[in-house]
Amino acid sequence: MTRVDVVVTGLGATTPLGGDVASTWDAMLAGHSGVSPLTAPWAEQLPVRIAAQLAVEPGEVLDRVKLRRLDRSEAVALIAAHQAWADAGLADAGLDPERLAVSVGSGIGGAQTLLAQDDILEASGPRRVSPHTVPMLMPNGPAAWVGLELGARAGVHSVASACATGAEAIALGLDIIRAGRADVVVAGGTEAVIHQLPIAGFASMRAMSTRNDEPEKASRPWDKARDGFVLGEGAGVIVLERADHAAARGARVYARLAGAGLTSDGYDIVQPHPEGHGAIRAIEKAIADAGVTRTDIVHVNAHATSTPVGDMAEIAALRASVGTHPVLTATKSMSGHLLGAAGALESIATILAIRDGVVPPTINLDDPDDGLDLDVAAHKARQMDIPAALNNSFGFGGHNVALVFTRA
Amino acid sequence: MTRDEITAGLAEILEEVAGVNPDDVATEKSFTDDLDVDSLSMVEVVVAAEEKFGVKIPDNEVQNLKTVGDAVAYIEAQA
């Protein structure tokens, strides 16, 4: 059977670096940091008082009444999805709704709503709890809202695999089109949990950077002085489309989503396998699925969150699966870690790297770890021809997702 | 509290909760058919009205409050 080709025809994002894809990409290429101090009173008691907060508040984009019924994670997903939809030129393309699906996940879901409504319950009693609480906190809420607003009737899906969610949602979109269940899938990830409880939880795990006095230097993948990730918020959404469907309507094509590899470690609930077995298998599967060879992969947008253990485990996995030739970057050095949205935002960065022939920089890599023997585009963006690139995402729970994008 | 004052208070709540233009709030208007207030927003309107006017509006009464006038009359009788 001939393999169905799947291409990317639309991009949307709202991130700590910008309110849309263009501004986010420009900020990445310029090496800007999206990390800033947390100024809310609740942050004072926390060990972590920095985060990568949205550059553009959802209230500047969506109307006030609509926002009342949306968790922040739903609001940013909707903003990114509408951008991607418009970018793909699908608004007036006459697409059959029964051939349109949605795959948008979140790592944590509507935690801000849950916590805010619990405060109301405790202070004022059950009758004051908002009737919008459940649709706001349910983890399928972002996908459901996107599906509702775009009129998708081929299925609305919400995978959850922690920090691999965005990438897994995109991989599911690929499967859906290959299986013939839809011609177009709006796919991506969303997260908005900059709140004291999730921060306290991650901080208790000793997973977060406490470089509170230098926010812009806190996210520093592969640097010797890295001390944990920086929590970010936002959403990334891409439009996946069957290649012949895109060609028939004369759509602009950014890149091909050539392959995906998904594995699970079966090792520990939060620690990655020490030899990266799951990651290696995911990368190898993605390369095989894409019909390319390891030498074709010239650029990797790494998961690299700036944690002491994870960053170097990924290097070992890359060395074993791809080799030492690709040029790496860790865009989380600029965006922070968007958890369930990370894989989607980094897919967008990978796609644009292919389109523009440029690897965005890894900032703050001032003193590379002794084990870092792969080439990283440190400090400055690097121009190069990129026919094929890899995007890695790993998540608590032992989820490993690798995506291969190629030039269309 | 006069009927006009109650109507104005309801209009404020409807604007806050459901984005209804206060100029559209009139006695004969139906919450669902004319003002586009869906069932979840209606719950919010009722709770906000209880708080604002110091009344109790039991769930089994809410179904009888079809129009702005129905609500104003009920609140006036309870207040």
Side-chain angles (χ1 to χ4, degrees):
Chain A
M1 199 177 92
T2 318
R3 171 57 65 81
V4 174
D5 247 351
V6 175
V7 295
V8 179
T9 56
L11 304 176
T14 183
T15 78
L17 295 167
D20 58 16
V21 170
S23 56
T24 297
W25 183 233
D26 286 348
M28 278 188 182
L29 292 181
H32 291 167
S33 169
V35 184
S36 59
L38 283 170
T39 54
W42 52 254
E44 286 167 21
Q45 59 164 346
L46 295 173
V48 174
R49 296 184 296 281
I50 51 174
Q53 302 165 84
L54 284 174
V56 176
E57 276 297 309
E60 295 177 42
V61 184
L62 299 176
D63 80 59
R64 181 191 60 79
V65 173
K66 188 171 186 174
L67 272 178
R68 282 175 61 88
R69 22 176 82 201
L70 296 172
D71 183 75
R72 192 170 171 88
S73 66
E74 297 173 333
V76 290
L78 268 182
I79 291 166
H82 278 295
Q83 289 174 4
W85 188 246
D87 188 45
L90 280 162
D92 307 311
L95 179 66
D96 177 358
E98 295 186 8
R99 301 298 299 163
L100 171 64
V102 171
S103 173
V104 173
S106 167
I108 296 185
Q112 298 218 47
T113 293
L114 180 70
L115 292 160
Q117 292 299 322
D118 184 62
D119 288 346
I120 291 169
L121 174 70
E122 297 292 340
S124 309
R127 205 169 159 75
R128 291 290 179 274
V129 170
S130 167
H132 304 297
T133 301
V134 173
M136 286 170 75
L137 69 79
M138 62 192 194
N140 58 316
W145 271 109
V146 171
L148 182 66
E149 296 221 340
L150 300 183
R153 292 185 183 158
V156 163
H157 310 273
S158 43
V159 301
S161 47
C163 309
T165 298
E168 182 166 349
I170 289 169
L172 176 61
L174 178 65
D175 284 346
I176 289 169
I177 295 175
R178 283 177 173 175
R181 298 207 300 273
D183 297 323
V184 175
V185 181
V186 175
T190 185
E191 205 76 77
V193 290
I194 297 179
H195 178 287
Q196 56 180 336
L197 185 77
I199 292 175
F202 281 122
S204 289
M205 299 175 85
R206 308 293 187 267
M208 297 184 81
S209 173
T210 55
R211 196 181 285 264
N212 295 314
D213 50 347
E214 291 180 302
E216 297 185 350
K217 296 186 174 174
S219 186
R220 42 196 315 118
W222 301 307
D223 187 86
K224 274 183 186 161
R226 68 190 184 277
D227 68 333
F229 77 88
V230 175
L231 182 61
E233 60 177 352
V237 172
I238 70 177
V239 173
L240 298 173
E241 189 165 356
R242 218 180 62 233
D244 58 346
H245 188 275
R249 67 182 185 91
R252 177 263 331 273
V253 172
Y254 284 98
R256 276 177 76 221
L257 172 54
L262 291 83
T263 65
S264 45
D265 279 352
Y267 171 75
D268 186 271
I269 194 67
V270 292
Q271 299 295 337
H273 187 281
E275 286 149 44
H277 283 172
I280 291 168
R281 286 186 299 119
I283 295 165
E284 288 175 345
K285 280 172 185 286
I287 291 171
D289 188 43
V292 299
T293 65
R294 54 198 270 167
T295 51
D296 293 326
I297 304 294
V298 297
H299 163 52
V300 179
N301 189 308
H303 185 63
T305 64
S306 185
T307 59
V309 177
D311 288 12
M312 296 314 294
E314 184 177 12
I315 292 295
L318 282 170
R319 201 186 293 119
S321 57
V322 186
T324 54
H325 64 277
V327 177
L328 273 48
T329 196
T331 44
K332 287 188 185 79
S333 60
M334 300 174 284
S335 66
H337 188 355
L338 273 60
L339 307 183
L345 174 58
E346 287 144 29
S347 285
I348 290 170
T350 308
I351 290 160
L352 292 175
I354 291 171
R355 181 195 70 174
D356 292 350
V358 59
V359 173
T362 300
I363 64 168
N364 299 323
L365 184 51
D366 300 328
D367 187 10
D369 193 291
D370 291 334
L372 184 65
D373 55 352
L374 274 72
D375 188 4
V376 177
H379 303 300
K380 282 189 161 52
R382 192 181 305 179
Q383 309 286 328
M384 60 181 275
D385 186 45
I386 308 174
L390 173 74
N391 172 27
N392 285 342
S393 296
F394 312 122
F396 283 171
H399 310 270
N400 307 291
V401 181
L403 301 173
V404 170
F405 293 93
T406 61
R407 194 151 53 205
Chain B
M1 194 174 273
T2 68
R3 288 189 147 240
D4 282 353
E5 285 167 344
I6 296 170
T7 307
L10 266 181
E12 271 178 41
I13 292 171
L14 286 162
E15 183 183 28
E16 167 69 21
V17 168
V20 175
N21 183 339
D23 296 342
D24 293 342
V25 178
T27 306
E28 73 285 1
K29 292 288 176 70
S30 154
F31 290 110
T32 48
D33 298 339
D34 299 321
L35 302 179
D36 236 6
V37 180
D38 65 19
S39 62
L40 295 187
S41 292
M42 196 60 202
V43 174
E44 286 191 281
V45 169
V46 166
V47 171
E50 286 184 335
E51 200 157 311
K52 192 178 196 94
F53 303 113
V55 296
K56 285 279 176 231
I57 310 176
D59 286 351
N60 58 6
E61 279 298 333
V62 173
Q63 58 190 346
N64 300 326
L65 308 179
K66 306 277 189 217
T67 66
V68 171
D70 295 340
V72 171
Y74 185 87
I75 290 163
E76 191 184 30
Q78 300 292 313

